[in-house]
Amino acid sequence: DTGVSQDPRHKITKRGQNVTFRCDPISEHNRLYWYRQTLGQGPEFLTYFQNEAQLEKSRLLSNRFSAERPKGSFSTLEIQRTEQGDSAMYLCASSFELGGYSYNEQFFGPGTRLTVL
Amino acid sequence: GENVEQHPSTLSVQEGDSAVIKCTYSDSASNYFPWYKQELGKRPQLIIDIRSNVGEKKDQRIAVTLNKTAKHFSLHITETQPEDSAVYFCAARSNYQLIWGAGTKLIIKP
């Protein structure tokens, strides 16, 4: 395991369908983050996990979005009833943190590009 | 909440010249400021970061300066090369998350 991986790399779906993305972090990393990035913008924080616990969720995150990290390793991000505005690149990142704050490098995966028709 | 503003949105410099990108943040409690480089179609990658207990950090051609009083930090790239062409993002840690700037597209002219 040499880096963060995400699957699928591309997803095209019709409006109203549900989609699920997977992220496999670097194995020794305890922190996992989900971001959304649209063209010309920086990554927008969605949520993060410390081991299996989801510690923070963006206020901007619709209740159609849910994320899990059941065993503290891989994570899934599900979007229900997709809308065209959900079209974006979904990035996963991981890091190792000893304390409560985020001081160490976040390593990013290649992203999943979602297109909602 | 925290807000990070980044300028300019596009920067075009002659190869060999220096490039400077500036960011300001609003949360005075922020104490960690990374810079990421993102090439077209690729993932963001950390190039340098600075913590609030120092005012400057340098790594070869790249340096970052931090002014906590004014709440701004800057990325300096000297002797720019074609491979420096990319989008650069600044970020500031607020609570438990990173707040990102909108990015600067750096173009290196031959």
Side-chain angles (χ1 to χ4, degrees):
Chain A
D1 180 14
T2 57
V4 180
S5 61
Q6 293 185 246
D7 183 69
R9 296 290 304 276
H10 304 272
K11 179 69 177 179
I12 299 174
T13 191
K14 292 183 180 178
R15 190 175 51 189
Q17 297 295 304
N18 299 342
V19 294
T20 300
F21 310 142
R22 177 179 169 125
C23 171
D24 286 88
I26 293 172
S27 57
E28 61 267 27
H29 284 181
N30 56 357
R31 192 74 66 87
L32 186 149
Y33 309 81
W34 283 101
Y35 293 91
R36 178 171 57 194
Q37 187 177 27
T38 54
L39 198 63
Q41 297 296 315
E44 176 191 15
F45 171 80
L46 295 179
T47 188
Y48 89 98
F49 293 83
Q50 174 91 4
N51 300 311
E52 67 276 9
Q54 187 175 16
L55 296 188
E56 192 168 349
K57 200 172 169 180
S58 169
R59 291 190 300 272
L60 303 174
L61 203 60
S62 158
N63 57 11
R64 297 183 295 107
F65 287 68
S66 62
E68 293 183 344
R69 194 183 183 197
K71 297 181 181 178
S73 56
F74 74 92
S75 175
T76 57
L77 176 69
E78 181 183 17
I79 309 174
Q80 296 181 327
R81 305 181 302 282
T82 52
E83 302 172 355
Q84 286 185 326
D86 297 332
S87 295
M89 175 74 84
Y90 289 84
L91 292 165
C92 173
S94 71
S95 69
F96 180 75
E97 305 289 349
L98 284 175
Y101 297 109
S102 297
Y103 283 119
N104 293 325
E105 179 179 357
Q106 294 184 18
F107 292 82
F108 281 82
T112 294
R113 181 167 296 284
L114 173 66
T115 302
V116 181
L117 303 176
Chain B
E2 170 73 296
N3 183 49
V4 175
E5 294 192 357
Q6 183 171 349
H7 300 281
S9 56
T10 304
L11 178 61
S12 182
V13 302
Q14 204 71 38
E15 182 179 347
D17 288 350
S18 296
V20 180
I21 302 170
K22 299 181 179 181
C23 288
T24 59
Y25 60 98
S26 58
D27 184 357
S28 56
S30 291
N31 56 8
Y32 173 63
F33 308 91
W35 285 88
Y36 281 79
K37 176 183 180 182
Q38 187 173 29
E39 297 178 45
L40 190 63
K42 297 190 176 179
R43 69 194 77 185
Q45 291 192 302
L46 181 75
I47 54 171
I48 196 167
D49 58 12
I50 191 167
R51 290 166 173 74
S52 60
N53 56 345
V54 297
E56 184 173 359
K57 183 177 178 181
K58 192 173 181 179
D59 182 4
Q60 299 183 344
R61 296 186 297 109
I62 295 173
V64 57
T65 58
L66 171 65
N67 183 328
K68 285 215 72 181
T69 303
K71 292 191 283 188
H72 67 70
F73 56 112
S74 301
L75 177 71
H76 304 253
I77 306 175
T78 58
E79 301 171 10
T80 52
Q81 300 169 3
E83 54 265 35
D84 295 330
S85 293
V87 179
Y88 291 80
F89 292 99
C90 64
R93 186 190 67 77
S94 178
N95 295 319
Y96 298 98
Q97 59 178 279
L98 288 179
I99 307 299
W100 296 66
T104 295
K105 183 176 182 180
L106 178 61
I107 301 167
I108 307 300
K109 297 181 291 185

